[in-house]
Amino acid sequence: DGTHIGEWCRDQSLSIPDRIRLFLGVCDAVAYAHRNLVIHRDIKPRNVKLDRGSLGIVPRRPRPPA
């Protein structure tokens, strides 16, 4: 399923500039989702998952409404 972004940054020993570049990529992904009318309720570091094989964002399956 991937590793949450904070853990991934620590594991990779990313510098501050690299973390900012990664965060900007997450911002681009969220903007893409918004443009395509994807609604989210809980964006936080533990919900942003990174695939260990690449820097791609691993989509999270939404929970069904309660």
Side-chain angles (χ1 to χ4, degrees):
D1 280 13
T3 304
H4 73 80
I5 194 168
E7 182 180 326
W8 195 88
C9 287
R10 281 189 302 275
D11 290 349
Q12 302 298 314
S13 300
L14 291 187
S15 65
I16 297 297
D18 287 338
R19 289 174 189 236
I20 291 170
R21 277 190 282 280
L22 181 60
F23 178 71
L24 291 174
V26 171
C27 292
D28 287 343
V30 170
Y32 175 83
H34 286 171
R35 284 193 305 275
N36 289 280
L37 305 177
V38 174
I39 298 171
H40 49 79
R41 294 184 289 167
D42 196 19
I43 294 180
K44 59 186 174 187
R46 286 199 103 29
N47 291 342
V48 176
K49 305 283 185 162
L50 297 177
D51 181 33
R52 290 185 188 272
S54 69
L55 290 180
I57 303 293
V58 177
R60 214 183 101 132
R61 288 195 170 89
R63 289 180 286 164

